[in-house]
């Protein structure tokens, strides 16, 4: 304790800033109920006063102490006030004017979304109708649904445009379009296309994402591959982009002989313009706050301590955009920056002591420490570990800065291209295309790292899910910190021991339990809040009904079963049933694709088929039967001509109950979900997808008794007891995610199974079904009755 007290007294200013940032963050995140946040803030303030009063008196800095307490109180007040006023406390109807802040994006389900600034605060609008361009002043009616610290507005109909985008917004659209055209090698007057023609490699689509966050042109599967090897931060503008741009501007201004103040001013101005071009959405505001402050400190060279700088950035970002306090992206950014600040210099020195040259040591320290810092947070939000995350980031790091700076130069040429036409425009586009050649080459290398990394062994590292995995990952991070920071002789050894023990404890159990029992017939895979059911066809062949939302989870399930060939049926195209499809083909072949008749026009259907050209496709409907290997299956629903999406019910409550992503508010495909009756030796299993009460009631007249029934719609309360009674299962199974927030499974769903035992994937992990039916839990925990 004496060492902690000494540290606090020696670094009083840093401690005050860290306390202020912590209080502001907590006050903006915690649910606001009465005076609880205010009381908590006052207690934090009192603790800060007790810790630092001695230092304030000794240093004769009473005024500085008063000002720091004022800063603390102001930060807390800002957090409490904004949490009360910006984020709605409960769902409610909204009708009023708003400004479209970001370019509309069409999601895989066909829904359109964008960021709006409304009288109720910033919201994400989701609409079935196309949205107007960024900068438009609109009138919108719909229902606001708060989610944590953010909010979604589900529009009731088309947005009425009150005012078209102004000149600045139109210029922004032209500049972004110029970058995309140059990256692809396209030009309106042929100037850009004159050099090399149209580029269709992965780098051409990735460059706009890396520079301005435009991911519309990403090649199929690339974003998922980059997520697997922890390169997803390069598909959007991050703090590193802002730092690169700001440092480039400041270095250029200083080379002209201008003072440091002019350099900082220029960096701030350019960063503000850059944020406007990217889109002033919350994630970009967060990136700008972190990146710009870090770049300015690097230029100043004042020796300001990293934690104080980080705390200042946190306070500024939360006061400006308090909704970010609850966003995973903000947590990742702070975790990565904190790891860099605390561990980066020490690890660099440690590597230098081992005779590693400084540039190499620094290049290794940055991605290693950042990856260690974000790993516990990634696991907490459902991410995965990859053995190739650090190598991929190390190999990508040298090319991020060139790609970003060249992209910024292309944007500058885009400003010049806004006015002229004819030969002048062609010359400008040619210059932009020349710059795009090396820029897209850098982006291609980054994309290639992702593509190759996902095909290598251990692309998804075996690691326990839930709280245990998070604790072990945090322990590994602590071990690295001890090894790097402790100056004692035994420090590195202690840290290395902790690191190795945590890695072994996290890796060995999943590896030991990697294979499922040899007599398995059906696996209900644990894919979180989603569904994926695997039916055995042969030694290495299987029939897969849905893929779940997470490619890593379904890949793990298929690997545990030793599957190499997959026949895929997609019950419907909600994200929690099909978004994991890239994981199905990691090291495997896809032999066939089936989905309900009429669903092929869905955007996710087109994406699936586009990612697997040449694979035989069959549209199914009630009455069709199939067999392969040891299994046969019959489609019980939808009836012929009925497989069409229907408009979703008004109100986000319905969408939240569906357990789908926000984009699926635009259309409801649950009613046309395929219901599959699977028959394997000694076992019948009914997989009903997400059908609701009306569909279940109709099927209750014809559905046969089965051995195992998967709860429709993850155990939603939208059910028909007659359906459960007609199926008369001997065993009930619910495929559901832990703490999913949708109330799944509902009490009514569990009761509808009657006397049949019910097992859940959130409690038991992957469920192994064998004739009998006999069941085993591949990842059973204390709550699993198996």
């Amino acid at each position: 304790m004496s060492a902690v007290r000494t540290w606090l007294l020696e670094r009083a200013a840093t401690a005050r800033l860290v306390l202020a940032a912590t209080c502001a963050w907590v006050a903006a995140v915690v649910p606001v109920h009465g005076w609880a946040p205010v009381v908590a803030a006052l207690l934090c303030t009192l603790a800060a006063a007790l810790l630092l009063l001695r230092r304030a008196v000794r240093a004769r800095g009473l005024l500085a102490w008063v000002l720091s307490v004022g800063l603390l109180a102001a930060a807390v007040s800002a957090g409490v006030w904004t949490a009360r006023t910006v984020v709605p406390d409960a769902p409610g109807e909204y009708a009023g004017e708003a400004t479209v802040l970001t370019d509309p994006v069409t999601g895989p389900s066909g829904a359109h979304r964008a960021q709006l600034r409304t009288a109720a605060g910033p919201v994400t609008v989701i609409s079935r109708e196309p949205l107007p361009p960024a900068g438009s002043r609109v009138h919108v009616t719909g229902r606001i649904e708060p989610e944590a610290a953010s909010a979604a507005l589900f529009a009731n109909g088309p947005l009425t445009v009150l005012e078209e985008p102004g000149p600045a917004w139109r210029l922004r659209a032209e500049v972004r379009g110029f970058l995309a055209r140059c990256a692809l090698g396209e030009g309106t007057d042929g100037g850009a296309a004159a050099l090399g023609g149209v580029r269709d490699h992965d780098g051409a689509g990735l460059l706009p994402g890396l520079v301005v966050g435009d991911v519309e042109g990403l090649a199929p599967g690339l974003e998922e591959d980059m997520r697997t090897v922890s390169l997803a931060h390069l598909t959007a503008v991050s703090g590193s982009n802002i730092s690169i741009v700001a440092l480039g501007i400041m270095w250029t201004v200083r080379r002209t002989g201008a003072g440091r103040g002019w350099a900082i001013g220029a960096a701030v101005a350019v960063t503000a313009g850059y944020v406007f071009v990217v889109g002033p959405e919350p994630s970009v505001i967060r990136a700008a706050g972190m990146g710009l402050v870090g770049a300015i400190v690097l230029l100043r060279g004042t020796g300001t301590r990293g934690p104080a700088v980080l705390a200042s950035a946190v306070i500024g970002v939360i006061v400006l955009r308090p909704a970010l306090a609850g966003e995973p992206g903000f947590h990742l950014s702070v975790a990565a920056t904190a790891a860099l600040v605390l561990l980066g210099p020490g690890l660099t020195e440690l590597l230098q002591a081992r005779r590693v040259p400084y540039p190499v040591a620094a290049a290794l320290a940055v991605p290693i420490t950042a990856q260690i810092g974000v790993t516990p947070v990634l696991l907490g939000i459902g991410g995965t570990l990859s053995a190739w995350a650090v190598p991929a980031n190390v190999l990508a790091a040298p090319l991020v800065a060139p790609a970003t700076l060249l992209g910024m130069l292309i944007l500058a040429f885009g400003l010049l291209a806004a006015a002229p036409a004819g030969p002048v425009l062609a010359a400008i586009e040619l210059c932009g295309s020349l710059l795009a050649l090396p820029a897209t080459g850098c982006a291609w290398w980054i994309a290639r790292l992702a593509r190759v990394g996902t095909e290598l062994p251990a692309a998804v590292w075996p690691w326990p899910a839930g709280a245990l995995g998070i604790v072990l990952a945090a322990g590994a991070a602590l071990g690295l910190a001890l090894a790097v920071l402790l100056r004692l002789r035994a420090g590195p050894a202690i840290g290395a021991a902790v690191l190795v023990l945590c890695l072994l404890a996290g890796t060995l159990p999943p590896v030991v339990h990697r294979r499922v029992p040899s007599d398995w017939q059906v696996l209900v895979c644990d894919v979180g809040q989603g569904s994926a059911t695997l039916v055995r066809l042969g030694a290495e062949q299987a029939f897969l009904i849905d893929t779940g939302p997470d490619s890593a989870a379904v890949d793990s399930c298929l690997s545990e079963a030793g599957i190499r060939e997959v026949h895929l049926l997609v019950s419907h195209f909600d994200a929690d049933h099909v978004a994991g499809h890239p994981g199905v083909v990691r090291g495997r072949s896809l032999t066939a694709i089936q989905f309900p008749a009429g669903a092929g026009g869905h955007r996710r259907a087109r994406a699936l088929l586009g990612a697997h050209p040449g694979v035989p496709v069959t549209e199914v409907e009630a009455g069709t039967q199939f067999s392969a290997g040891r299994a046969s299956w019959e489609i019980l629903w939808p009836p012929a001509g009925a497989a069409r999406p229907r408009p979703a019910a008004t109100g986000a409550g319905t969408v939240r109950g569906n357990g789908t992503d926000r984009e699926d508010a635009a259309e409801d495909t649950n009613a046309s979900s395929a219901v599959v009756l699977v028959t394997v030796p000694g076992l019948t299993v009914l997989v009903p997808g997400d059908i609701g009460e009306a569909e279940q009631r109709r099927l209750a007249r014809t559905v046969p008794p089965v051995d195992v029934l998967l709860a429709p719609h993850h155990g939603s309360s939208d059910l028909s007891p007659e359906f459960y009674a007609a199926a008369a299962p001997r065993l009930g199974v619910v495929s559901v995610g832990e703490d999913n927030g949708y109330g799944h499974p509902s009490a009514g769903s569990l009761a509808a199974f009657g006397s049949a035992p019910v097992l859940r994937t959130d409690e038991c992990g992957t469920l192994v079904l064998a004739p009998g039916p006999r069941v085993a839990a591949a990842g059973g925990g204390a709550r699993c009755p198996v």
Side-chain angles (χ1 to χ4, degrees):
M1 289 299 296
S2 60
V4 174
R5 184 168 57 252
T6 302
W7 186 91
L8 286 172
L9 294 177
E10 290 177 352
R11 298 166 175 82
T14 298
R16 288 195 291 268
L17 281 170
V18 171
L19 282 170
T22 302
C23 292
W25 198 345
V26 171
V29 169
V30 296
V32 181
H33 297 296
W35 290 93
V38 178
V39 173
L42 291 175
L43 291 176
C44 290
T45 304
L46 178 61
L50 293 177
L51 286 171
L52 303 176
L53 182 60
R54 181 182 177 189
R55 171 70 177 178
V57 174
R58 281 187 176 182
R60 294 174 297 175
L62 186 58
L63 178 59
W65 169 240
V66 171
L67 291 175
S68 65
V69 172
L71 174 63
L72 178 62
V76 172
S77 300
V80 173
W81 180 80
T82 51
R84 288 182 181 275
T85 58
V86 174
V87 180
D89 293 328
E93 298 298 324
Y94 178 84
E97 295 185 5
T99 301
V100 183
L101 296 179
T102 60
D103 294 288
V105 175
T106 303
S109 69
H112 307 277
R113 54 188 170 86
Q115 289 286 321
L116 294 187
R117 182 175 62 238
T118 70
V123 300
T124 300
V125 64
I126 301 174
S127 173
R128 294 189 296 270
E129 304 294 335
L131 297 172
S136 302
R137 187 72 179 167
V138 299
H139 184 275
V140 57
T141 60
R143 182 174 176 83
I144 290 184
E145 177 74 16
E147 293 186 7
S150 63
L153 192 159
F154 295 87
N156 291 335
L159 277 61
T160 303
V161 177
L162 304 177
E163 184 179 345
E164 297 290 341
W169 288 97
R170 292 196 299 270
L171 179 61
R172 171 185 178 274
E174 292 174 3
V175 168
R176 289 171 62 94
F178 182 83
L179 173 64
R181 293 198 306 273
C182 290
L184 294 172
E186 301 171 347
T188 56
D189 286 351
L195 191 66
V198 175
R199 288 181 282 271
D200 58 358
H201 58 73
D202 285 346
L206 178 58
L207 182 65
L210 195 154
V211 178
V212 296
D214 181 4
V215 296
E216 288 290 297
L218 284 183
L222 178 58
E223 190 170 10
E224 181 65 32
D225 289 345
M226 296 186 72
R227 186 178 295 112
T228 299
V229 294
S230 294
L231 289 174
H233 59 95
L234 298 180
T235 62
V237 174
S238 64
S240 61
N241 296 78
I242 303 294
S243 295
I244 291 169
V245 172
L247 285 171
I249 295 298
M250 290 189 289
W251 182 87
T252 302
V253 173
R254 290 301 299 273
R255 296 287 76 78
T256 65
R260 192 166 55 195
W262 287 102
I264 293 175
V268 171
V270 172
T271 299
Y274 184 39
V275 168
F276 177 70
V277 172
V278 173
E281 56 185 314
S283 62
V284 181
I285 299 294
R286 176 256 305 167
M290 294 293 178
L292 185 58
V293 170
I296 291 174
V297 170
L298 287 175
L299 177 71
R300 285 172 59 87
T302 58
T304 303
R305 295 190 177 275
V309 176
L310 178 60
S312 300
V314 168
I315 292 171
V317 170
I318 288 179
V319 170
L320 182 61
R321 282 293 178 90
L324 289 174
E327 293 292 331
F330 184 65
H331 304 168
L332 290 169
S333 182
V334 174
T337 306
L340 287 171
V341 165
L342 296 175
L343 300 180
L347 183 57
T348 302
E349 293 176 6
L350 190 64
L351 292 173
Q352 284 185 279
R354 302 296 189 272
R355 297 184 178 181
V356 178
Y358 174 77
V360 178
L364 290 173
V366 170
I368 290 174
T369 54
Q371 191 63 39
I372 289 293
V374 303
T375 294
V377 183
L378 282 173
L379 292 173
I381 60 177
T384 59
L385 296 181
S386 173
W388 308 106
V390 171
N393 277 275
V394 168
L395 294 173
L399 299 177
V400 174
T404 302
L405 293 176
L406 287 169
M408 288 294 294
L409 288 176
I410 296 173
L411 292 177
F413 274 100
L415 291 173
L416 299 176
V424 176
L425 177 59
I428 294 174
E429 288 185 337
L430 180 60
C431 292
S433 188
L434 284 169
L435 293 171
L437 279 176
T440 54
C442 294
W444 174 87
W445 172 254
I446 296 170
R448 195 61 190 162
L449 290 172
R451 296 290 198 190
V452 173
T454 55
E455 298 297 329
L456 295 175
V460 178
W461 190 263
W463 197 259
L468 177 61
I470 298 172
V471 169
L472 291 175
L478 176 62
L480 179 61
L482 292 174
V484 172
L485 296 179
L486 284 184
R487 302 303 180 185
L488 303 176
R489 177 173 296 182
I494 294 173
V498 173
L499 176 62
V500 171
L501 286 175
C502 289
L503 290 176
L504 289 176
T507 302
L508 289 181
V511 170
V512 171
H513 297 89
R514 196 169 174 80
R515 304 291 292 190
V516 300
S518 59
D519 64 342
W520 75 274
Q521 294 294 326
V522 176
L523 297 182
V524 181
C525 301
D526 179 14
V527 292
Q529 181 62 17
S531 180
T533 305
L534 193 65
V535 181
R536 189 173 190 171
L537 300 180
E540 295 184 341
Q541 298 84 35
F543 169 48
L544 178 64
I545 305 173
D546 293 330
T547 70
D550 183 6
S551 62
V554 72
D555 177 31
S556 176
C557 185
L558 291 166
S559 297
E560 290 174 4
I563 299 303
R564 292 292 175 265
E565 293 184 4
V566 178
H567 184 121
L568 175 63
L569 183 148
V570 179
S571 66
H572 63 302
F573 286 96
D574 282 356
D576 56 337
H577 289 253
V578 71
H581 74 84
V584 175
V585 293
R586 285 189 189 139
R588 305 175 194 89
S589 59
L590 191 60
T591 59
I593 299 174
Q594 295 179 342
F595 53 79
H602 196 290
R603 285 182 58 85
R604 287 199 185 97
R606 296 199 299 270
L608 174 65
L609 299 179
H612 307 289
V615 176
V617 176
T618 305
E619 298 190 9
V620 301
E621 58 190 19
T624 52
Q625 300 181 18
F626 305 88
S627 63
R630 305 172 181 176
S632 62
W633 59 97
E634 179 181 359
I635 309 301
L636 304 183
W637 188 270
R644 298 290 187 274
R646 70 185 181 193
T650 301
T654 301
V655 178
R656 289 170 60 87
N658 287 345
T660 60
D661 61 19
R662 287 175 168 185
E663 294 169 359
D664 293 326
E667 56 183 22
D668 179 11
T669 60
N670 294 337
S672 58
S673 177
V675 177
V676 188
L677 176 62
V678 176
T679 302
V680 293
L683 190 66
T684 55
V685 181
L686 184 58
V687 185
D690 280 358
I691 60 171
E693 178 184 5
E695 295 77 36
Q696 293 175 38
R697 190 183 304 112
R698 289 181 59 181
L699 278 175
R701 307 166 189 165
T702 57
V703 66
V706 296
D707 294 314
V708 181
L709 170 64
L710 269 68
H713 204 169
H714 321 290
S716 167
S717 58
D718 183 21
L719 61 89
S720 168
E722 295 82 2
F723 174 77
Y724 284 75
R730 299 165 64 188
L731 173 69
V733 173
V734 185
S735 181
V736 67
E738 187 175 8
D739 299 326
N740 55 81
Y742 305 113
H744 295 165
S746 66
S749 174
L750 296 177
F753 281 104
S755 60
V758 181
L759 300 177
R760 301 162 45 166
T761 57
D762 61 335
E763 296 178 347
C764 300
T766 295
L767 292 168
V768 184
L769 304 179
R774 290 182 291 108
V775 63
R783 296 181 296 165
C784 183
V786 176

